[in-house]
Amino acid sequence: MSEKSGFEKFSELARPALRQELEGAIAASAEHGTPGLHEMITYQLGWTGENAGPKAEGKQIRPLLVLLACQAGGGDWRKALPAAAAVELIHNFSLVHDDIEDNGEVRRGRPTVWKIWGEAQAINTGDAIFALAFASLVNLIKTTSPEIVLGAGTIFHQTCLRLTQGQHLDIAFEDQENVELESYWKMVGGKTAALLAFSLEVGALCAGVSPEIQSQYRDFGHYLGMSFQVQDDILGIWGAEEQLGKSTTGDIITRKKSLPILYGLAQEKEFYEGWNEGEITPEKALVLSQILEAEGGRAYAQSTADRLIDLALTALENANPEAESGLILEELAKKLLKRQE
């Protein structure tokens, strides 16, 4: 057996405490005669229902980043637990609503909330999780100071708006023939990077670091999220099918406006022509993926992802994290971007 990574060890230490914090955070959803609402929330979190367990719960990387950033900033990670729970809840709120908007029927190997209880109840469940996330964040008053709570709340509001702005652009792109790269980066900055940036920033804030160091943690999360999305775009076309759990070239078949595809379209060469020639079948998608790679789409996206992760790691270094926690954050950043290996 291979030795456990630093992140895996920290995860084993912190996840029980995070679970306890989350249980307390969502308890109010069963009040006023609504145990059914509580059941829907616990199902979304992966705790109840068929095939409940670690896989259904997800990796919980975002809340664990909150705790790691607090520790890296010289604080006690337990003081950041209310913020970590808030991050996990806001992430799940976004997933519940995304599944409705994307007509997604499966999430983490199980039927989605709307598929079981209907769209109306799923929308309401997402709204409840959204409210509970803010209530959890306010619980920082028990572990930190009023100034930290106010600062965290301000950043959290901004982050939630950025999440919805990113989702707005992602949905809008479906009906747009031409999407500019600038719009793509705005979408990614909201949909993928915003919550990762908040996770690192609020963890550092809970540790009481200076505003300058706090901004370095924010930049680390921002660039990490941007790079993660670009890597995901690459895997969406050229990833191994068994690794992804879905068919390769799927992003071409669905005409997703990902970075490699936007690059290929901008060249207005053979890929551009094939893209605009009627329906894209799986066979045609495979050919187009090969053409796109030959025209430099994969290399462009990979070089972009590499540049972004370099910016992320530079920001982490500038934050001057405590040695062990800093190494774990660096290790995690590199691991997230090697999922195809």
Side-chain angles (χ1 to χ4, degrees):
M1 286 181 64
S2 59
E3 185 179 351
K4 292 180 180 177
S5 67
F7 179 75
E8 289 171 332
K9 293 177 182 177
F10 181 80
S11 178
E12 289 181 357
L13 173 67
R15 282 183 73 146
L18 175 62
R19 171 65 179 262
Q20 185 176 7
E21 189 73 28
L22 282 165
E23 288 176 351
I26 69 167
S29 64
E31 297 174 356
H32 306 292
T34 56
L37 177 61
H38 186 267
E39 178 189 359
M40 293 176 196
I41 294 172
T42 58
Y43 176 86
Q44 171 61 31
L45 293 174
W47 301 349
T48 57
E50 188 176 353
N51 296 322
K55 182 180 177 181
E57 292 174 24
K59 296 185 177 72
Q60 298 184 331
I61 288 173
R62 292 162 187 82
L64 290 170
L65 283 175
V66 175
L67 304 179
L68 275 169
C70 182
Q71 183 168 279
D76 179 354
W77 62 264
R78 293 170 183 80
K79 291 185 177 180
L81 279 167
V87 164
E88 180 64 5
L89 289 172
I90 213 68
H91 176 56
N92 276 277
F93 141 75
S94 72
L95 296 181
V96 172
H97 282 195
D98 285 1
D99 287 339
I100 299 167
E101 292 161 354
D102 299 339
N103 200 35
E105 298 184 359
V106 177
R107 169 74 64 181
R108 296 170 181 160
R110 306 198 303 167
T112 50
V113 172
W114 76 264
K115 191 65 179 174
I116 297 176
W117 286 284
E119 291 184 11
Q121 286 289 17
I123 291 170
N124 190 62
T125 299
D127 292 345
I129 296 174
F130 187 84
L132 291 167
F134 279 94
S136 178
L137 191 70
V138 174
N139 283 333
L140 281 173
I141 196 67
K142 301 175 183 177
T143 59
T144 61
S145 67
E147 291 77 17
I148 288 177
V149 175
L150 179 60
T154 300
I155 306 166
F156 202 44
H157 279 88
Q158 296 167 347
T159 299
C160 290
L161 179 58
R162 289 292 288 118
L163 284 172
T164 58
Q165 289 170 327
Q167 180 70 352
H168 166 82
L169 289 172
D170 194 30
I171 294 171
F173 287 174
E174 295 176 7
D175 299 320
Q176 291 181 21
E177 289 188 14
N178 299 310
V179 174
E180 300 293 331
L181 279 177
E182 182 181 356
S183 297
Y184 168 87
W185 289 120
K186 287 179 179 177
M187 183 273 289
V188 174
K191 188 174 175 69
T192 307
L195 193 55
L196 278 172
F198 174 79
S199 299
L200 273 300
E201 183 176 11
V202 76
L205 176 64
C206 290
V209 303
S210 69
E212 292 76 18
I213 297 298
Q214 187 180 319
S215 69
Q216 295 295 337
Y217 278 104
R218 179 179 65 244
D219 287 348
F220 170 56
H222 171 76
Y223 289 121
L224 179 63
M226 301 285 266
S227 185
F228 182 86
Q229 182 59 59
V230 175
Q231 190 67 48
D232 202 59
D233 287 352
I234 295 170
L235 294 176
I237 300 174
W238 297 287
E241 184 170 346
E242 64 275 11
Q243 191 80 16
L244 296 175
K246 59 182 180 181
S247 64
T248 55
T249 69
D251 284 358
I252 293 180
I253 296 173
T254 59
R255 296 182 179 272
K256 182 179 178 181
K257 307 301 193 305
S258 66
L259 185 64
I261 289 172
L262 291 178
Y263 174 88
L265 294 175
Q267 308 311 303
E268 297 188 355
K269 295 180 180 178
E270 190 177 355
F271 176 80
Y272 173 86
E273 294 174 358
W275 177 272
N276 290 299
E277 287 178 352
E279 180 186 358
I280 300 179
T281 63
E283 294 76 18
K284 182 179 178 180
L286 180 59
V287 173
L288 285 176
S289 71
Q290 295 168 347
I291 294 171
L292 180 58
E293 183 168 9
E295 291 181 358
R298 184 172 187 171
Y300 170 78
Q302 189 60 62
S303 66
T304 301
D306 293 343
R307 177 173 56 84
L308 288 166
I309 197 59
D310 284 345
L311 290 171
L313 294 175
T314 297
L316 178 61
E317 183 180 355
N318 291 340
N320 194 27
E322 290 201 352
E324 183 180 359
S325 301
L327 289 174
I328 293 174
L329 287 170
E330 181 180 354
E331 162 206 300
L332 179 61
K334 292 178 178 178
K335 182 179 180 180
L336 286 174
L337 300 172
K338 291 184 179 178
R339 293 171 298 151
Q340 80 281 18
E341 297 182 1

